Amino acid sequence: MEASSSRVEYIVWDARHVLEGQGRASSSSEPSPSPSPSPSRRDLERAVNTFIDGVSGEASYVWQCGSPLRVSLNRRGSLRFGVNMDDEWYVVYLLRRVSEAFDVAVQVWDEDGEFLLIEAAYSLPGWLEPAVAANRVWVYRGAVHCLPREKNGGIDVSSAEGALKSLVVHAAAAKACGAGIEACVARRVAGYPGLAKETMMRATACLPRRVAVALTRDPQLVGRMVAAYVESSGKGRASAARRVAEGAGGAGGAEGLVPMIVVFNRLLYGQVM
């Protein structure tokens, strides 16, 4: 698989119906006040994406391939990160935050499979092998959970939906089973959110006016622009440089050059320097 196609995949499951079926934490026999109506799935999805934008926006985070993390509840999503592993682990960090802030549970993997298990290879239960790992590893309530081996048929990992219900019902056991994995993953993302800011680089560039306007409107375009530059031939780069130099003569016009501060991630910055 080419590095440029490397991607992290995920499903963010709406767990509210399972939680409601379990009565949440209402173990008391006393009548509880009528609950306020739950937001629709669309509203919850919008709230999740707004939350992600807020966290990543605080860091002015620039994604390697120009597409920010987006969630559609109960549907598979993916984010292409090329060779930038920072993006993959930032996705893990953001999904952990989402699972902590909302009634959702998350599955996440990449082309290597359950990469959270790979990260925690020396901390796995002896029985947890790839052949039995399907639908067992979740990010829930801000931490990695792992559904333990079935006991008296109480845990169902035959489908994601069955595993989600088992996760909610047996959350304490799943958290205990996943403690070793969680410790490794927590160490891996321990630097965030500060690390997200630290890995952003800023440089002043003189750009054609239309390019500067486009980047001002959508800073994520820098990833695609750098990719186009890196993948172009030497002749193509020389031609682009010549056009930029010609544009400098009309700095007051629509195609003149204007200085602006461009935000890169550290890999993109290295690719253009």
Side-chain angles (χ1 to χ4, degrees):
M1 182 171 292
E2 295 179 2
S4 61
S5 66
S6 294
R7 64 182 65 236
V8 57
E9 300 188 70
Y10 50 86
I11 303 178
V12 178
W13 293 94
D14 183 353
R16 292 176 299 172
H17 66 289
V18 182
L19 289 163
E20 289 162 2
Q22 292 300 308
R24 287 185 175 267
S26 58
S27 58
S28 171
S29 59
E30 297 179 5
S32 57
S34 299
S36 57
S38 297
S40 68
R41 182 170 294 173
R42 180 174 296 181
D43 288 341
L44 177 59
E45 191 173 283
R46 186 181 298 115
V48 167
N49 284 310
T50 298
F51 177 84
I52 291 171
D53 288 344
V55 175
S56 58
E58 288 178 5
S60 300
Y61 196 84
V62 173
W63 298 92
Q64 181 68 23
C65 297
S67 298
L69 178 63
R70 278 291 172 269
V71 165
S72 296
L73 292 174
N74 299 354
R75 297 176 62 185
R76 177 182 295 193
S78 67
L79 183 137
R80 195 159 56 92
F81 60 86
V83 295
N84 190 353
M85 299 302 295
D86 287 345
D87 275 10
E88 182 168 41
W89 285 103
Y90 193 46
V91 166
V92 173
Y93 167 77
L94 289 172
L95 293 178
R96 282 164 61 92
R97 291 283 305 273
V98 166
S99 77
E100 190 173 32
F102 301 94
D103 287 331
V104 300
V106 180
Q107 293 175 296
V108 59
W109 67 96
D110 65 13
E111 63 266 26
D112 293 324
E114 299 274 6
F115 68 94
L116 300 185
L117 296 185
I118 296 172
E119 181 69 19
Y122 295 105
S123 301
L124 301 179
W127 57 269
L128 187 56
E129 299 177 351
V132 298
N135 294 323
R136 289 192 183 276
V137 181
W138 295 78
V139 179
Y140 183 58
R141 296 287 188 249
V144 179
H145 288 53
C146 178
L147 289 169
R149 284 180 288 186
E150 293 83 350
K151 293 182 179 180
N152 302 320
I155 292 179
D156 176 15
V157 293
S158 61
S159 67
E161 292 81 359
L164 175 60
K165 183 175 181 179
S166 296
L167 173 68
V168 172
V169 174
H170 302 283
K175 185 173 183 179
C177 184
I181 307 168
E182 163 61 18
C184 294
V185 172
R187 282 195 295 270
R188 191 68 168 76
V189 300
Y192 294 109
L195 185 61
K197 288 184 178 181
E198 292 171 11
T199 57
M200 295 301 105
M201 315 289 288
R202 288 167 172 77
T204 301
C206 290
L207 301 172
R209 189 177 300 276
R210 285 189 296 182
V211 174
V213 169
L215 272 178
T216 300
R217 291 175 178 171
D218 184 4
Q220 297 297 335
L221 287 174
V222 69
R224 299 175 190 176
M225 292 178 179
V226 171
Y229 171 78
V230 170
E231 293 168 7
S232 65
S233 65
K235 183 177 180 180
R237 294 181 191 179
S239 175
R242 187 164 54 252
R243 291 195 299 273
V244 168
E246 291 168 355
E255 291 304 312
L257 296 184
V258 293
M260 71 173 293
I261 296 175
V262 181
V263 181
F264 304 84
N265 65 44
R266 57 186 174 186
L267 182 58
L268 292 172
Y269 184 83
Q271 287 177 311
V272 297
M273 289 298 110

